[in-house]
Amino acid sequence: MSGVLKKIEKNPYQYNGEFTLLNSKNASNNLLEKKLYIESYGCAMNFSDSEIVASVLSKNGYRTTNIVEDAELILLNTCSIREKAEQTIRKKLEKFNSLKKSNKHLKIGILGCMAERLKSKLIEEEKIVDLVVGPDAYKDLPNLIYKVEKGQKAINVLLSKDETYSDISPHRLNSNGVNAFISITRGCDNMCTFCVVPFTRGRERSRDPQSIIKEIKDLEIKGYKEVTLLGQNVDSYLWFGGGLKKDFSKASEIQKTTALNFSKLLELCAINHPKIRIRFSTSNPQDMSMDVINIMAKYDNICNHIHLPVQSGSNKILKAMNRQHSKEEYIDLIKRIKQIIPNCSISQDIIVGFPGESEEDHKETLDLMETIKYSFGYMFKYSERPGTLAQRKLADDVDEATKKRRLEEIIELQQKHSLHRTKEFLNQEVEVLIEKTSKKSQLYWSGRNDENTVVVFPKENYNIGDFVNIKITDCTSATLLGNAIGYSKNN
Ligand code: 5AD
Ligand code: SF4
């Protein structure tokens, strides 16, 4: 659709579905067209949410811009997972002070987890913030912006029982036209004691499978080649007609017998879209079922990679974190995964310096890493988050220097294991989906193989979006290097 949507009613920012379509010639005269600059922080879910926000606001005449100075509306989609993430946003806001001084019409909004966590405090503490909107309230943005335009501050941080934005077609931002994120669940019911997510993103709910399939179909028509199904805990996906996951026990018999779980959703996606590569993230060990692994093994277009955060290798710490699995159960799960998919790559999230973590506990984490030899991972120092059980009940008693040293130790070990894993590909042929020009050289393409390892190779005559077979000749701990042999059978 190349035209611009113009609203015909009193409140120019309130969307109620009544739009007339202007052709693009008229568009430049359209007084409603405004420039939106949106920046996302944190997890992939936030980046995916920003595409929903851009879609909601496009219906109100907002077009996105990458030039912050051009914007009439700046939105920061924020993360609260660690204190540092919030400090980054506060620093960013300081930088916007001068912009606001030079442009009196500029409005600034905070979206996402920090908005949800701090609510009206954000407006009180950060004077330049006009708008605060939580992750479940993006459909209300047009109303809120209307209020802001009238000179008021606006806030909506209501969490929802059923919002999944399944009816909104995301407006892809900074897209390469090849990879896309698709949210399949929102919220989290796990209540790990360190984690702020259940407070910022609410209770867990799943999205209607038909809308997921439709989104993949739309992407496929546009030429996309890979989708990543997203959720805080994808393996606990359960569609029984909508509503909170915790209410499933109260569902009717029909709803219970026709419910669709994650393995069935995955199969549905794989069968309906055999040409699309499918990834998913994040998996929680206690919810991952062998059905999912069997489906992964059955369909070629589901990638052999599982992001399986463990957080700690010590049972004492896992218990204090309220993780619902032991170290032994976790190791056994990976053993069973590898029995079915021997080349499945596994990645981790690990936190060091959780309250009460002794040197012995830390050593157990290093030992667990030695046992698994993860392909890659994301490692963090524990950051106390207000309102979490750990903050309320446990003393943040591992000193900063010890946290820093332990983090360095696990990062170093992970690098060793990553190299061990990339070396396994030497002299092998791997199928790569080309995603972008390599950062290191204009003459090389960068893409990923099935196991999610980055592969770099000379461009020749290949293009972004091509599936190519690459012979691996060299590697670092993070990247495989090689040469193209030809298009793969999936091209
Ligand atoms: N401190 C440090 N890391 C955290 N994570 C979540 N909460 C915290 C916290 N309070 C990490 C976990 C999680 C990842 C997304 O972020 O490892 O899996
Ligand atoms: Fe950050 Fe978690 Fe919110 Fe994602 S869900 S933005 S990781 S706090």
Side-chain angles (χ1 to χ4, degrees):
M1 194 159 55
S2 62
V4 171
L5 295 166
K6 187 188 173 197
K7 184 82 185 48
I8 38 164
E9 55 141 33
K10 238 172 146 193
N11 174 350
Y13 298 109
Q14 182 159 12
Y15 170 64
N16 68 357
E18 291 173 45
F19 288 103
T20 52
L21 189 63
L22 296 176
N23 64 33
S24 32
K25 214 171 111 200
N26 293 337
S28 57
N29 297 327
N30 181 7
L31 292 177
L32 290 178
E33 187 166 327
K34 299 205 170 188
K35 294 222 170 83
L36 160 69
Y37 177 86
I38 182 161
E39 208 167 273
S40 311
Y41 295 81
C43 63
M45 187 71 96
N46 253 16
F47 285 76
S48 168
D49 278 0
S50 291
E51 299 186 335
I52 286 166
V53 168
S55 175
V56 169
L57 290 179
S58 75
K59 298 187 176 80
N60 287 80
Y62 275 95
R63 295 290 167 270
T64 52
T65 174
N66 289 325
I67 306 164
V68 68
E69 289 82 8
D70 285 355
E72 280 121 321
L73 175 62
I74 296 177
L75 297 177
L76 298 182
N77 199 351
T78 62
C79 174
S80 286
I81 201 123
R82 282 168 290 276
E83 199 183 349
K84 213 165 139 215
E86 293 197 353
Q87 283 163 357
T88 307
I89 300 297
R90 303 235 189 218
K91 284 207 191 95
K92 195 85 203 184
L93 286 173
E94 272 172 34
K95 287 200 185 138
F96 290 155
N97 263 322
S98 58
L99 278 181
K100 205 153 184 182
K101 276 189 196 122
S102 60
N103 177 2
K104 292 270 172 287
H105 299 292
L106 175 64
K107 305 294 176 204
I108 296 179
I110 300 290
L111 313 177
C113 292
M114 208 172 153
E116 192 62 49
R117 194 180 84 72
L118 292 166
K119 304 185 171 54
S120 58
K121 251 169 94 181
L122 252 182
I123 292 181
E124 288 153 27
E125 289 170 4
E126 304 286 348
K127 297 286 175 251
I128 68 165
V129 171
D130 302 291
L131 183 68
V132 171
V133 191
D136 285 348
Y138 297 145
K139 281 187 189 158
D140 195 28
L141 268 166
N143 294 318
L144 297 165
I145 292 171
Y146 181 60
K147 216 173 143 187
V148 167
E149 294 280 337
K150 296 258 183 229
Q152 298 166 35
K153 302 262 175 179
I155 178 164
N156 186 344
V157 287
L158 284 177
L159 285 173
S160 163
K161 280 182 173 182
D162 44 24
E163 184 60 87
T164 58
Y165 300 114
S166 61
D167 53 335
I168 294 192
S169 169
H171 180 104
R172 305 287 163 192
L173 297 169
N174 303 318
S175 173
N176 61 358
V178 174
N179 317 94
F181 291 125
I182 300 186
S183 300
I184 63 161
T185 69
R186 297 184 76 80
C188 184
D189 286 350
N190 276 344
M191 297 308 273
C192 299
T193 57
F194 53 80
C195 191
V196 78
V197 172
F199 304 97
T200 60
R201 289 195 166 262
R203 296 277 80 82
E204 194 176 313
R205 66 218 96 117
S206 297
R207 178 176 163 188
D208 179 352
Q210 293 310 326
S211 76
I212 297 170
I213 296 295
K214 182 177 175 300
E215 193 170 328
I216 303 178
K217 197 169 167 195
D218 291 347
L219 287 164
E220 191 166 12
I221 291 167
K222 288 181 185 137
Y224 282 77
K225 300 290 169 67
E226 183 182 289
V227 298
T228 304
L229 307 178
L230 284 183
Q232 255 74 40
N233 185 6
V234 282
D235 296 85
S236 84
Y237 176 91
L238 189 65
W239 174 256
F240 55 98
L244 294 183
K245 166 90 184 279
K246 72 177 179 56
D247 292 333
F248 179 62
S249 57
K250 292 180 225 150
S252 70
E253 276 317 303
I254 295 182
Q255 283 176 317
K256 281 185 183 161
T257 45
T258 56
L260 193 90
N261 65 16
F262 184 56
S263 67
K264 295 209 185 100
L265 174 74
L266 208 49
E267 182 159 38
L268 202 64
C269 296
I271 292 176
N272 275 284
H273 304 283
K275 288 270 181 197
I276 293 279
R277 238 191 197 187
I278 300 167
R279 299 186 186 276
F280 57 87
S281 186
T282 295
S283 294
N284 267 288
Q286 70 269 25
D287 294 305
M288 180 133 226
S289 74
M290 281 302 118
D291 290 348
V292 170
I293 310 302
N294 286 321
I295 295 296
M296 286 173 76
K298 189 168 166 194
Y299 296 94
D300 255 7
N301 57 331
I302 306 177
C303 290
N304 290 335
H305 165 238
I306 303 172
H307 186 57
L308 201 62
V310 67
Q311 316 297 2
S312 171
S314 149
N315 281 335
K316 181 188 99 190
I317 297 297
L318 288 173
K319 192 154 184 265
M321 287 175 161
N322 192 32
R323 302 286 291 176
Q324 306 293 319
H325 58 84
S326 65
K327 172 177 75 178
E328 291 75 20
E329 283 164 341
Y330 182 86
I331 293 171
D332 183 59
L333 172 63
I334 293 181
K335 211 165 118 195
R336 285 183 288 138
I337 292 170
K338 297 262 181 172
Q339 273 163 4
I340 300 170
I341 311 172
N343 63 340
C344 190
S345 71
I346 310 284
S347 53
Q348 46 85 350
D349 287 350
I350 292 176
I351 298 175
V352 296
F354 185 80
E357 186 189 67
S358 66
E359 217 43 47
E360 188 48 41
D361 296 320
H362 172 58
K363 203 176 155 300
E364 285 194 57
T365 300
L366 293 168
D367 287 347
L368 174 80
M369 291 175 74
E370 210 49 89
T371 307
I372 310 290
K373 294 190 176 60
Y374 294 99
S375 295
F376 62 94
Y378 303 97
M379 292 148 282
F380 313 99
K381 284 185 281 183
Y382 171 68
S383 166
E384 189 176 75
R385 305 314 291 132
T388 57
L389 202 93
Q391 182 265 324
R392 287 185 280 124
K393 302 269 188 235
L394 306 169
D396 186 5
D397 57 0
V398 179
D399 63 78
E400 188 56 29
T402 306
K403 282 183 185 171
K404 186 165 174 277
R405 194 243 315 147
R406 288 181 187 166
L407 182 64
E408 282 163 5
E409 284 174 9
I410 61 166
I411 289 176
E412 194 186 324
L413 186 59
Q414 181 53 58
Q415 260 168 2
K416 190 178 124 197
H417 292 155
S418 295
L419 185 63
H420 165 84
R421 290 298 180 197
T422 52
K423 274 185 176 168
E424 290 179 331
F425 289 107
L426 286 177
N427 302 317
Q428 307 282 319
E429 252 181 53
V430 300
E431 187 193 54
V432 174
L433 170 61
I434 304 178
E435 294 173 8
K436 57 190 174 197
T437 293
S438 159
K439 276 190 214 132
K440 294 247 168 74
S441 164
Q442 284 289 318
L443 304 175
Y444 285 69
W445 287 127
S446 169
R448 279 172 298 157
N449 67 1
D450 199 319
E451 290 79 17
N452 211 23
T453 318
V454 173
V455 184
V456 167
F457 59 96
K459 282 186 171 175
E460 299 180 47
N461 290 325
Y462 298 103
N463 289 304
I464 289 181
D466 288 345
F467 283 102
V468 189
N469 287 327
I470 307 291
K471 177 84 186 265
I472 302 302
T473 53
D474 204 354
C475 67
T476 66
S477 62
T479 312
L480 301 173
L481 301 152
N483 291 296
I485 310 167
Y487 291 108
S488 81
K489 66 180 185 337
N490 291 319
N491 205 58

